[in-house]
Amino acid sequence: MVPPASLVPTAQRPHLRWRSTRTAIAGLAAALATVLAVSVLGAAAPAQAATGVAGSGPTGERVVARTLVGDTIAVINKARARARCVPLKSHPALVRSATAHSKRMATRRQLSHQLPGEPSFDRRIAAAGYRAKRASEALASGPRTAQQVVTAWLNSRVHRAILLDCSLRDVGISVFAGGNTTWWTLNAGRR
């Protein structure tokens, strides 16, 4: 069995490396030379999304990252609609938790649900202000577009179960560029 793309080191996934023929959005995302954390605090559609930015960066980078996160929520919600699940809606506390975790992974250059010295997932979302009855987390490093990251998650049995868990209602997604890759965190829950 071939492991899901999200779990294979980027060096073994040449199709996820930057190429000059990538779309404009992916090109701008790859051009982020410094660490940039982005979160969306809006509805599922990118046009309705508001943003909270951790760190700094040119306005263009913020727009690209906001679009990536909004597009990711939209792609996930299309898959959820096919599974007859209600759409996920962005929740500020889950966004805060996801943003902090993506930033830590980018700083350490390590994909992990719990980094050394970091609280567990349940404690991270509680500290961010989310009181969950049920919650899950999905991570990825390398994908440059919303479609790539959602496809990688849907091709993984465990991550697919998270995205298509119809009991979940809220989501916080963060994409953080650093260390020549992108770091994705999805925190989903139900209060």
Side-chain angles (χ1 to χ4, degrees):
M1 182 172 141
V2 176
S6 62
L7 303 178
V8 177
T10 304
Q12 296 174 17
R13 295 178 284 146
H15 63 285
L16 296 180
R17 289 191 201 148
W18 166 250
R19 293 184 187 138
S20 61
T21 58
R22 293 279 186 207
T23 64
I25 291 173
L28 289 173
L32 299 175
T34 59
V35 177
L36 171 69
V38 178
S39 308
V40 173
L41 300 172
Q48 300 169 330
T51 185
V53 178
S56 62
T59 303
E61 292 173 348
R62 292 176 185 182
V63 170
V64 169
R66 178 177 57 219
T67 301
L68 282 172
V69 174
D71 287 351
T72 304
I73 294 171
V75 174
I76 290 168
N77 282 335
K78 283 181 188 176
R80 287 176 63 82
R82 286 190 298 273
R84 299 185 181 176
C85 297
V86 298
L88 293 174
K89 294 181 183 173
S90 188
H91 191 282
L94 292 176
V95 170
R96 283 191 300 274
S97 175
T99 300
H101 191 65
S102 288
K103 182 178 179 180
R104 284 186 200 104
M105 289 191 304
T107 300
R108 290 182 173 259
R109 296 181 183 191
Q110 181 181 353
L111 185 69
S112 176
H113 289 282
Q114 186 173 5
L115 295 161
E118 183 182 45
S120 67
F121 167 65
D122 293 340
R123 289 185 181 187
R124 279 191 280 122
I125 63 171
Y130 192 82
R131 303 295 178 243
K133 289 184 181 175
R134 181 176 180 88
S136 297
E137 180 173 72
L139 307 175
S141 68
R144 301 269 185 206
T145 68
Q147 189 63 56
Q148 287 175 345
V149 74
V150 174
T151 298
W153 283 332
L154 289 173
N155 286 334
S156 160
R157 184 179 49 82
V158 172
H159 294 98
R160 181 180 187 82
I162 292 168
L163 297 185
L164 303 182
D165 180 343
C166 292
S167 72
L168 301 176
R169 298 289 187 263
D170 304 315
V171 69
I173 297 177
S174 175
V175 58
F176 205 99
N180 296 321
T181 193
T182 50
W183 303 88
W184 299 77
T185 301
L186 174 144
N187 290 167
R190 181 176 183 136
R191 293 174 281 150

